[in-house]
Amino acid sequence: MKIIVSIKQVPDTSGKVAVNPDGTLNRASMQTITNPDDMNALEAALKIKDETGCKVVVVTMGPPPAAGMLREALAMGADEAVLVSAREFGGSDTYATSQIIAAAINRIGVEKNDIVMCGRQAIDGDTAQVGPQIAEKLHLPQVTYAADIHKDGDTITVKRMLEDGYMTIKVKTPCLLTCIKELNEPRYMSVSGVFEAYSKPLTTFDYEALKDDPLIDKSTIGLSGSPTNILTSFTPPQKGAGMMLEGADKATCEKLAEILAKKHII
Amino acid sequence: MSKDIYVVVEQRNGNIQKVTYELISEATKLAADLGEQVVAVLMGYKIADKAQSLIHYGAQKVLVLDAPVLEHYTTEPYVRGIEYVIKNYEPNIVLFGASSIGRDMAPRIAGRVHTGLTADCTRLDVEVSKYQEYLRKATNLPEEKIMALDTSDRNLKMTRPAFGGNVMATIVCRNYRPQMATVRPGVMELGEKDTSRTGEVVMVDAGLTEADMNVEILDVVKQTKKAVDITDAKILVSGGRGVGGPEGYNPLRELAAELGGEVSSSRIGVDSGWIEKDRQVGQTGKTVHPELYIACGISGAIQHQAGMEDSEFILAINTDKFCPMMQLADLGIVGDLKKIVPALTEAVKAYKAKKAAL
C-alpha cells in the first residue's frame, strides 16, 4: 500500500507580498514555502506510514527549484519524490494542471489500497480546484475538507468539515482526500532525515515521460490548453482615507452598522 | 447553442442557503445584459416546494432534481445531476456558491465536462462598458489599457482575488461552455424578494440511484462555532487598556459573537492577566489580517500595529481622537467604548433582525 501526496511550492503570501507596477506578482522578491495545507496532507500520510509502514510518495509540478521542497518532504519521512517539470506544462490553469498531475500519478500507479492526498487549496491561487479535478481524472471518489482521517483496512472514515458542522464519511480505497489545517500539526524534518533525504529517490517526469498518457494532449495542457485565461490583472483598490465619527449615541452606531452591512460584514 | 445562466442551489437540510439568493440576484443582472434567462437548479429530496422562493428572487425557471440519494450533499450524485443538466440543457453560464460544498462539486464538474472554472469570484461582468467603469474606479490600470478592451466581448468576465488578496485577476473562458464560476458568499448584493414573480418549475429525472453513491454518510453534525485561533478569524474585536479590566472584555465578546468573530487583545490586557496570552495581537503576540479589526481602547503603539496593520478594514473606538490607532483606522469613533460597544452590538442585532424579516 502507498500514499501519494500532491504538494505545491508557493510564494509565502503571509509575509509582505510584493507587486510589480503592472499588477503582477513580484515572485523573485518572495520566499517560497511548501503550501501549508499540503503540509497537513503530508503529515497525515506520514502518520499512516508510522502506523502501517506504508510507502509515501510526494509529487509536485513546478520549475526545477521545486526539487528543494521535495527534499524537505523526504527529510520529513516521505520515501520517494517525483518532480513533474517541463516547458510544455507551464502556464496551466487548474484543469490543465490536474490533467498533468493525474498523468504523473497514473505513471506512479494507483493500486487498490492506495490513497491520494492533497491540500484543500494553495495559498497563491486559492482555488481549491486541483484536488477534485485530479480525483475526477483518476476516476477516484473524493472527500474534501478532511479534518480527521481513520484508516481501517480498505475503508477510510473522514471527518469532512462544513461551515456549520461536519459530516462523517466512509469511503473505500483507492480514493482522494483533500486536507485542512485542523487535521494535524506537521512534523519537523529530523537531522537524520535531512541526511537520508539525499539518498532517497527523486525522479523527474518531463514531457517525454508522460506524453503517452491519454491525459497529456497538447491541446489540453499548458497555457494554450487551459480553458481559462487571464484577461487582466491588477492590484486591489487602495484604502480610502479614514473617516471619523463622533459621539457614542444610537444614531452613530446605527450608521456604523450600515457601513458594516455595506462591506458585507453583517 | 449554449444559452442562459444556471444557478446551482445550495440547500442544507432542505433550507436554501443565502448565497443562492445572492447568486440569483446577480445572475438576473447578467441575464439582462445578455438577453438570456436565469435558471435555478434545485437538487435534494422532497424539495420541490422550495422552488417558488427561487422564483421570487428572480429565477425564471427552476429545474428540480428530486431523489433520495440527493438528501444530503455528497460529491458523485450531485455532480452527476449537474452533468445531466449541462448535457441536456447546454447552459451558457453555471454559478455555484464558493462554500465547502460548491468548491467540492464545481471543480469535479468542470473536470468532467471539460470546461473552465474560476474560483471565489467577487465580481462578474458581461457588458464591457460596465467592466471598464469598474476598472477605472477600483484599479490603477492606465486608461489606454482599459480602453484597449474589446467591447464586443460577450464572455463572462470573472474577477477574483489571488495571492492572499494581494492581486486581483479577471479570468475568461473563451472556448469552452458552460463558463463556470464559484462566487464568494456575502459579496453579491441580495435583490428584493418579489412574491408576485412567476416562473416555470420543471421536474427533471436525471436517473440518479443509490448506485451513484460512492461514499457512505455515517452522520451529519451541526455544530455551534467553537473558539477559533485569532489568526483564522475574519473579524476581531480587540481590547486594550481602555477596557479597564477582565470583565471589560465581556461587551467585546458579545459584539464578537454577534458579528461571528473572535476577541483579541493588546499586550496590556495579557500582561495584566485580563485575557489569555493566545489572544494577543502585536509584535510579541500574533499577526492577524482579518477582514475587520475593531480596536477598542487601543492607542495603537507601533508594536501593536505591527500585528494588525494589514487588516482589510480597521475600526477604532477611542476617546483620544489623535491617538495613532485613530490615524491608522479606516473609520474612527471618538467616544467611550463602554457605551459604544454595547450600542453597536444592539445596532448590529437590530440590523440583522430587520434583514431577516425581509
Side-chain angles (χ1 to χ4, degrees):
Chain A
M1 172 213 168
K2 67 178 171 306
I3 304 175
I4 300 171
V5 189
S6 171
I7 66 179
K8 184 181 185 187
Q9 191 173 47
V10 295
D12 186 0
T13 57
S14 68
K16 284 276 177 216
V17 173
V19 177
N20 291 323
D22 65 355
T24 58
L25 202 72
N26 183 353
R27 284 171 186 265
S29 72
M30 292 166 69
Q31 295 254 348
T32 57
I33 54 169
T34 306
N35 181 54
D37 285 352
D38 302 354
M39 290 291 273
N40 298 107
L42 177 57
E43 174 62 31
L46 294 173
K47 268 208 179 111
I48 297 175
K49 179 186 168 178
D50 293 344
E51 290 159 16
T52 65
C54 71
K55 190 161 89 170
V56 173
V57 183
V58 284
V59 55
T60 194
M61 180 171 98
M69 172 192 71
L70 291 175
R71 291 278 179 216
E72 288 179 15
L74 294 171
M76 283 170 69
D79 301 285
E80 287 176 26
V82 174
L83 172 66
V84 183
S85 194
R87 200 163 289 279
E88 287 88 345
F89 302 153
S92 292
D93 72 353
T94 65
Y95 183 94
T97 299
S98 61
Q99 299 244 114
I100 300 162
I101 297 176
I105 293 174
N106 271 334
R107 172 88 196 257
I108 297 164
V110 181
E111 281 152 44
K112 194 182 168 294
N113 291 318
D114 294 352
I115 310 172
V116 180
M117 289 192 182
C118 302
R120 170 197 50 178
Q121 69 189 63
I123 55 171
D124 52 356
D126 284 326
T127 70
Q129 290 174 1
V130 172
Q133 289 188 324
I134 293 173
E136 173 63 26
K137 295 297 166 191
L138 296 174
H139 308 290
L140 297 177
Q142 74 192 42
V143 183
T144 55
Y145 291 81
D148 200 17
I149 298 170
H150 277 282
K151 188 174 176 301
D152 185 11
D154 66 346
T155 305
I156 303 185
T157 311
V158 184
K159 180 178 178 187
R160 187 246 194 257
M161 296 311 291
L162 298 165
E163 284 81 355
D164 55 354
Y166 63 87
M167 273 175 153
T168 312
I169 294 182
K170 224 162 98 175
V171 59
K172 291 230 184 279
T173 60
C175 61
L176 182 142
L177 310 175
T178 80
C179 303
I180 59 175
K181 155 173 181 192
E182 283 80 352
L183 182 60
N184 54 41
E185 195 68 52
R187 66 192 63 185
Y188 291 104
M189 296 179 272
S190 65
V191 175
S192 62
V194 174
F195 279 107
E196 283 166 20
Y198 285 88
S199 55
K200 287 178 178 172
L202 194 159
T203 324
T204 301
F205 288 176
D206 57 7
Y207 178 74
E208 282 298 311
L210 297 179
K211 74 173 194 314
D212 294 332
D213 191 292
L215 292 169
I216 303 296
D217 179 327
K218 284 231 171 113
S219 67
T220 60
I221 59 162
L223 185 63
S224 59
S226 292
T228 60
N229 300 110
I230 294 175
L231 179 73
T232 34
S233 77
F234 47 87
T235 46
Q238 296 300 308
K239 263 189 182 176
M243 191 169 104
M244 201 85 81
L245 295 173
E246 289 203 40
D249 53 358
K250 203 164 163 256
T252 311
C253 287
E254 274 169 8
K255 202 165 160 192
L256 195 52
E258 248 169 65
I259 294 170
L260 296 183
K262 263 204 199 110
K263 293 197 68 68
H264 308 291
I265 285 164
I266 55 173
Chain B
M1 198 202 113
S2 300
K3 196 160 135 308
D4 296 339
I5 305 180
Y6 284 55
V7 172
V8 176
V9 176
E10 183 163 331
Q11 57 88 8
R12 296 188 184 194
N13 297 313
N15 299 315
I16 292 175
Q17 302 295 299
K18 194 172 147 230
V19 65
T20 297
Y21 298 126
E22 294 167 1
L23 290 179
I24 291 176
S25 305
E26 178 66 19
T28 307
K29 292 183 212 159
L30 296 169
D33 286 343
L34 282 168
E36 295 182 357
Q37 288 203 323
V38 177
V39 180
V41 184
L42 176 58
M43 290 187 283
Y45 184 46
K46 297 184 177 159
I47 195 92
D49 59 318
K50 306 281 179 184
Q52 285 308 319
S53 72
L54 301 164
I55 291 168
H56 295 158
Y57 276 94
Q60 279 128 318
K61 189 155 75 171
V62 182
L63 303 182
V64 183
L65 282 71
D66 198 285
V69 74
L70 297 173
E71 183 173 1
H72 292 292
Y73 174 78
T74 55
T75 313
E76 190 57 25
Y78 272 72
V79 166
R80 245 173 224 225
I82 298 295
E83 183 193 7
Y84 180 89
V85 167
I86 290 174
K87 291 207 167 130
N88 287 277
Y89 293 82
E90 296 183 29
N92 180 19
I93 294 170
V94 182
L95 303 178
F96 304 79
S99 63
S100 65
I101 288 178
R103 297 173 99 218
D104 181 272
M105 164 170 37
R108 187 105 200 186
I109 295 165
R112 191 166 298 182
V113 304
H114 191 176
T115 193
L117 171 66
T118 306
D120 281 12
C121 297
T122 54
R123 188 186 163 93
L124 299 171
D125 290 277
V126 171
E127 209 57 68
V128 175
S129 58
K130 288 181 187 172
Y131 178 62
Q132 286 173 321
E133 209 175 297
Y134 158 72
L135 289 179
R136 272 187 204 109
K137 236 192 280 172
T139 74
N140 48 10
L141 277 182
E143 180 64 22
E144 63 268 21
K145 220 172 167 175
I146 296 173
M147 286 306 289
L149 290 166
D150 174 9
T151 50
S152 67
D153 178 2
R154 307 294 282 166
N155 287 304
L156 182 65
K157 286 157 272 293
M158 301 168 272
T159 304
R160 65 176 304 254
F163 298 103
N166 295 288
V167 177
M168 301 286 286
T170 303
I171 316 275
V172 285
C173 172
R174 292 193 184 91
N175 304 325
Y176 293 90
R177 289 294 181 268
Q179 307 166 82
M180 305 213 317
T182 65
V183 178
R184 248 182 218 197
V187 171
M188 298 303 173
E189 203 181 329
L190 189 61
E192 293 283 319
K193 183 174 175 178
D194 179 354
T195 51
S196 71
R197 282 195 185 117
T198 56
E200 192 187 350
V201 179
V202 183
M203 299 301 290
V204 175
D205 181 5
L208 300 172
T209 66
E210 276 299 321
D212 293 313
M213 276 294 248
N214 56 11
V215 299
E216 187 188 335
I217 302 175
L218 298 183
D219 62 358
V220 182
V221 178
K222 224 177 148 141
Q223 265 178 328
T224 44
K225 256 173 91 186
K226 58 175 186 349
V228 294
D229 186 336
I230 59 168
T231 58
D232 288 335
K234 293 210 164 99
I235 293 169
L236 283 174
V237 183
S238 202
R241 190 182 298 272
V243 302
E247 60 292 329
Y249 283 95
N250 290 335
L252 274 55
R253 285 191 185 97
E254 281 165 35
L255 178 58
E258 205 54 48
L259 291 170
E262 291 294 320
V263 170
S264 59
S265 173
S266 69
R267 185 169 172 176
I268 184 82
V270 174
D271 283 357
S272 314
W274 299 346
I275 196 162
E276 312 82 358
K277 166 79 183 158
D278 64 356
R279 301 262 164 189
Q280 186 190 327
V281 171
Q283 205 162 36
T284 55
K286 290 179 176 171
T287 302
V288 296
H289 7 110
E291 287 168 19
L292 171 67
Y293 189 85
I294 306 183
C296 308
I298 300 177
S299 66
I302 190 75
Q303 291 84 350
H304 186 73
Q305 285 194 14
M308 48 64 71
E309 61 190 349
D310 288 334
S311 303
E312 274 177 45
F313 191 84
I314 299 165
L315 169 63
I317 301 170
N318 211 300
T319 47
D320 176 8
K321 188 174 179 167
F322 300 104
C323 72
M325 184 58 81
M326 286 301 229
Q327 307 309 311
L328 180 69
D330 297 273
L331 181 60
I333 312 285
V334 187
D336 181 0
L337 74 96
K338 293 196 175 69
K339 287 186 195 137
I340 296 171
V341 173
L344 179 57
T345 309
E346 283 313 309
V348 171
K349 239 185 230 170
Y351 185 88
K352 277 164 68 174
K354 204 171 86 189
K355 212 155 91 169
L358 286 178

